[in-house]
Amino acid sequence: MSEADVKSWINGDESAKRMLDRVLTSRPSFSLPPPLHRIPLRVANVVEIAGPSPSAKTQILTQTAVSCVLPKVWNGVHYGGLGRPVLYIDLDCRFDVLRLVEMLRHRIVQVNGCSSTAGNEEILKLSMRQFSYIRCYDSFELLATLKTLHHRLQKEKESNGIGGHLLMIDSIGAFHWVDRASTTLPLGGKNRKCLSLQNVLEIVVEDLRKLLLIHPMLVIVTKTAIVGTTGNEVKRNFKRWPSSGTPDTSSELERLQKPYFREYMPSIWQSFVTHRILVQGSDDHLAMPKSQENDLAYVSEWLLPRLNILDKFVVRDAGVFLVS
Amino acid sequence: MASLKRLETEFPILDRDFQSFCALRGIFTDGLHRPWSNGVELMEDAQKNKHVLSTGCEGMDFLLRGGLHKGQVTELAGPSSSGKTQFCLLTASTVAYKHMGGVIYLDTGNSFSAKRIAQFLNQISRPAFDEMQPIVLQKVMNSILCQSVFDIFSMFDVLHCLESKLKSQMCRGDNDEILIIIDSISSLITPILGSSGSQGRALMVSAMSLLKKLAHEYNLAVLVTNHTVGGDGGIPKPALGESWKTLTHVRLLLSRDCGSDTYHVSLLKHPSAASGKAAKFIINN
């Protein structure tokens, strides 16, 4: 090695400042509505929203989709959206498009006031065109969708030049039981792998990783968490002595009854997820001074990275709103 | 292999050799996934096809924001003798009469009663005393098809037959059926749900998947009934466990005052309405 080579090797390729500039422009951060707002999320992050049923997970996804498809500025009006296309893979098959339209309309009217409805319809159609939706009724269809996604994204990139999609998968655990039960089914031909939970998720993770390398996207996935309480037997024992209603025993009872969420996804999925947030319904109904009825509140907590802040939010007609 | 042949014009690399390669190794590409839909197409489909079917009961219609939505699966849970079958029969009569569509009634407990349907039809058509003309009555009742199923596998059979029938009808363009009622789906699923072992839950999930597919692709509304089990503090909660909770779109909990005709129903889950709302209604004899 000549002296010039050694010198250039010591000097390095670029300074830290230049690298940071480069990364921040090529991988911008998404500013998402609550409760996903605490952590700056970039492309190639995989966010898992876990929670028991019902806990407003699909509402959070819909709200995020709304703020994603709205353009930033259109016709001189600042809508404040991200203007990025959204790909929604529905495994639960419970998506309600009219709810998405309702939330979108509320946002548009909030920005525009109740002015020209023709303009509102136009921007609604423009935003809805950025939203792509597909349903998968079993794991085969999911795998087929992921395999053909690259080709579709490539075609879109060539025709439109937009990158930076948002990929949403509603309920990655939807086929959990079906895949577990079909471990023993032979697939015809000795060289084919057996369909099993592990295999399906391995292929899903592998395909997603490959997609994220070529087409950097932000992936948001919901997962239904299975709740198990440890304190069921204890509760029955306590019921037999109703006289022991002192504050000490009731707080102990509460502590013992804290629900824990069983993780049922294989470790390959758990290591693929880079961020995790837990949503659950909170027990206290909030009596808001403005609304007539008590709104059901939900609590969200970031598990990965661990933040010791609990966000409370409610779901109203216009969307998901942070309360405290 | 038809789709490969179609793609051949677009991508010359998929020539005859490639197609025979795929065929030899059992790689099939036919219709494995549906095409992606655009948001605008979804919106138009919802507005054009996914109407709301009134159930014939005002309290329930108010709670459900109009009634049963086509394309969605509604679950009605309640303890025994809380009026689930009565409500199913009322809904079947209303849909057959007012919306003039076909109803498929899958009955698991021999509780379907044609006499009661006739009574409901007379009530709906003319609130006054004269009865409906027998010809009209017969025509409306002909559109309600009742089938007894006693286990989940025969339900799968019926649904698969229905699917092929609807597929051929769709090609021709006349879709008659608009409602499927399964009373009660919990008596089909409970015998196969063990605490461990995933076969029962897998069958439950695939049955609901099939129902949701039928609802969405062929624009049907689906109503299923469920029984209740004791929950925390003795309050009844719907049966079939945790994994069932995510499978239906709308969940309702029904109860009846002892010995009276008044029913109380509360909304447990709805895709676009707040849960916790309740309503009361009366079904007359």
Side-chain angles (χ1 to χ4, degrees):
Chain A
M1 254 163 72
S2 72
E3 206 183 292
D5 288 334
V6 174
K7 252 200 190 139
S8 68
W9 182 79
I10 294 174
N11 284 339
D13 287 333
E14 57 180 357
S15 69
K17 180 174 184 300
R18 263 182 63 188
M19 190 205 93
L20 206 56
D21 282 339
R22 177 173 60 87
V23 167
L24 284 177
T25 45
S26 66
R27 300 188 146 209
S29 71
F30 287 68
S31 60
L32 295 178
L36 299 171
H37 60 291
R38 293 235 177 236
I39 312 260
L41 295 167
R42 310 207 125 68
V43 287
N45 281 143
V46 179
V47 183
E48 183 189 89
I49 306 178
S53 165
S55 50
K57 302 185 291 288
T58 310
Q59 301 291 328
I60 298 176
L61 272 192
T62 318
Q63 172 90 322
T64 311
V66 162
S67 43
C68 219
V69 294
L70 269 178
K72 204 167 205 150
V73 179
W74 188 74
N75 253 5
V77 186
H78 180 81
Y79 286 98
L82 296 172
R84 290 180 186 281
V86 169
L87 299 166
Y88 194 105
I89 303 184
D90 195 0
L91 304 185
D92 241 2
C93 310
R94 281 187 301 139
F95 180 69
D96 189 9
V97 70
L98 294 175
R99 176 75 177 133
L100 177 71
V101 170
E102 192 188 347
M103 277 188 182
L104 196 54
R105 253 202 197 112
H106 273 273
R107 267 291 275 277
I108 294 175
V109 166
Q110 194 183 42
V111 170
N112 260 344
C114 284
S115 57
S116 59
T117 42
N120 282 357
E121 286 305 311
E122 216 183 306
I123 177 119
L124 186 82
K125 279 225 164 87
L126 183 75
S127 315
M128 286 304 276
R129 235 171 257 134
Q130 300 264 57
F131 183 81
S132 302
Y133 174 83
I134 192 173
R135 277 188 169 207
C136 295
Y137 294 106
D138 56 47
S139 302
F140 286 113
E141 294 185 17
L142 171 63
L143 295 176
T145 308
L146 287 177
K147 293 222 185 266
T148 52
L149 196 53
H150 162 72
H151 178 76
R152 183 199 160 84
L153 288 174
Q154 191 74 17
K155 235 171 43 175
E156 243 184 71
K157 205 196 265 188
E158 280 162 17
S159 59
N160 289 346
I162 322 170
H165 288 66
L166 193 69
L167 175 69
M168 297 182 174
I169 303 183
D170 196 357
S171 214
I172 191 82
F175 307 130
H176 174 80
W177 292 109
V178 181
D179 289 337
R180 255 175 84 163
S182 54
T183 320
T184 49
L185 282 176
L187 268 182
K190 294 190 209 96
N191 53 341
R192 303 295 285 275
K193 268 204 278 202
C194 246
L195 181 72
S196 77
L197 191 64
Q198 189 75 17
N199 282 343
V200 170
L201 278 166
E202 265 174 23
I203 303 175
V204 167
V205 167
E206 197 182 303
D207 279 342
L208 280 175
R209 276 217 173 101
K210 280 195 254 187
L211 271 175
L212 288 177
L213 274 180
I214 309 177
H215 306 276
M217 311 183 271
L218 174 62
V219 182
I220 306 184
V221 174
T222 60
K223 186 186 81 167
T224 312
I226 302 182
V227 164
T229 49
T230 48
N232 263 338
E233 296 85 15
V234 185
K235 186 178 172 187
R236 261 185 254 130
N237 285 335
F238 266 94
K239 267 205 159 118
R240 278 194 222 130
W241 292 283
S243 56
S244 58
T246 60
D248 291 330
T249 49
S250 63
S251 66
E252 205 180 290
L253 183 65
E254 251 178 73
R255 204 170 19 95
L256 284 167
Q257 271 195 322
K258 190 167 165 257
Y260 67 91
F261 296 102
R262 278 192 281 141
E263 182 62 64
Y264 56 87
M265 300 295 279
S267 56
I268 189 164
W269 174 262
Q270 292 181 43
S271 47
F272 179 59
V273 169
T274 59
H275 293 74
R276 195 172 283 131
I277 183 170
L278 179 71
V279 227
Q280 38 183 326
S282 81
D283 285 329
D284 29 283
H285 292 240
L286 294 175
M288 307 298 291
K290 282 196 200 142
S291 67
Q292 305 281 0
E293 50 203 50
N294 293 339
D295 281 322
L296 193 60
Y298 299 95
V299 168
S300 77
E301 182 188 346
W302 278 95
L303 292 180
L304 182 70
R306 191 148 202 125
L307 297 176
N308 282 326
I309 315 171
L310 291 175
D311 284 320
K312 231 180 218 172
F313 61 94
V314 288
V315 179
R316 291 204 198 101
D317 276 347
V320 174
F321 295 104
L322 208 57
V323 165
S324 68
Chain B
M1 307 305 284
S3 54
L4 265 189
K5 284 205 177 69
R6 260 185 281 123
L7 288 174
E8 195 181 341
T9 50
E10 217 180 299
F11 304 100
I13 198 172
L14 301 177
D15 58 358
R16 208 140 295 276
D17 290 336
F18 183 79
Q19 289 177 29
S20 51
F21 174 87
C22 287
L24 271 178
R25 278 154 188 75
I27 304 172
F28 298 106
T29 58
D30 279 342
L32 269 183
H33 78 92
R34 285 150 194 78
W36 285 80
S37 335
N38 199 279
V40 179
E41 287 163 12
L42 273 184
M43 220 167 51
E44 281 165 12
D45 170 67
Q47 281 161 357
K48 200 168 60 151
N49 294 332
K50 304 286 195 290
H51 307 127
V52 176
L53 302 175
S54 152
T55 58
C57 176
E58 275 160 16
M60 201 66 110
D61 280 346
F62 164 72
L63 209 59
L64 293 172
R65 285 192 167 193
L68 300 176
H69 289 251
K70 280 192 191 177
Q72 288 187 0
V73 177
T74 309
E75 172 198 343
L76 182 66
S80 44
S81 159
S82 56
K84 305 190 292 285
T85 308
Q86 293 299 309
F87 181 74
C88 290
L89 294 172
L90 175 62
T91 308
S93 335
T94 313
V95 167
Y97 181 73
K98 276 198 190 144
H99 300 276
M100 289 181 289
V103 178
I104 312 267
Y105 197 107
L106 295 183
D107 186 21
T108 64
N110 289 333
S111 48
F112 182 80
S113 151
K115 225 194 238 174
R116 191 71 172 118
I117 296 255
Q119 267 181 359
F120 277 134
L121 282 173
N122 281 323
Q123 260 178 26
I124 303 168
S125 62
R126 248 150 275 182
F129 297 141
D130 32 350
E131 298 205 346
M132 224 159 109
Q133 287 188 6
I135 295 192
V136 180
L137 188 71
Q138 194 178 40
K139 184 162 165 283
V140 172
M141 284 183 78
N142 269 342
S143 56
I144 305 179
L145 299 169
C146 179
Q147 174 96 20
S148 285
V149 288
F150 299 111
D151 57 79
I152 197 163
F153 301 105
S154 32
M155 184 185 86
F156 268 112
D157 271 339
V158 170
L159 290 177
H160 284 303
C161 287
L162 180 65
E163 187 183 3
S164 31
K165 178 172 158 216
L166 287 171
K167 210 184 265 188
S168 62
Q169 270 182 351
M170 197 102 181
C171 297
R172 277 182 281 131
D174 54 359
N175 222 358
D176 211 19
E177 282 82 7
I178 54 176
L179 176 63
I180 299 180
I181 301 182
I182 304 186
D183 179 26
S184 63
I185 205 169
S186 54
S187 59
L188 299 177
I189 296 178
T190 317
I192 56 169
L193 267 186
S195 60
S196 62
S198 44
Q199 269 77 13
R201 287 192 187 88
L203 277 173
M204 177 172 80
V205 171
S206 359
M208 292 312 291
S209 228
L210 180 57
L211 279 173
K212 281 187 275 196
K213 180 159 93 167
L214 287 175
H216 181 80
E217 310 266 316
Y218 305 106
N219 305 321
L220 305 167
V222 181
L223 175 66
V224 298
T225 59
N226 191 6
H227 64 285
T228 53
V229 291
D232 295 332
I235 308 169
K237 64 173 187 184
L240 298 179
E242 285 287 328
S243 9
W244 169 260
K245 282 186 184 174
T246 57
L247 296 178
T248 54
H249 288 89
V250 180
R251 307 185 75 209
L252 298 161
L253 190 60
L254 186 66
S255 65
R256 178 159 84 142
D257 293 339
C258 239
S260 84
D261 276 340
T262 320
Y263 299 91
H264 296 268
V265 62
S266 66
L267 190 66
L268 293 177
K269 184 160 81 158
H270 194 281
S272 48
S275 61
K277 287 205 197 121
K280 233 170 22 173
F281 60 92
I282 299 180
I283 296 185
N284 289 320
N285 253 332

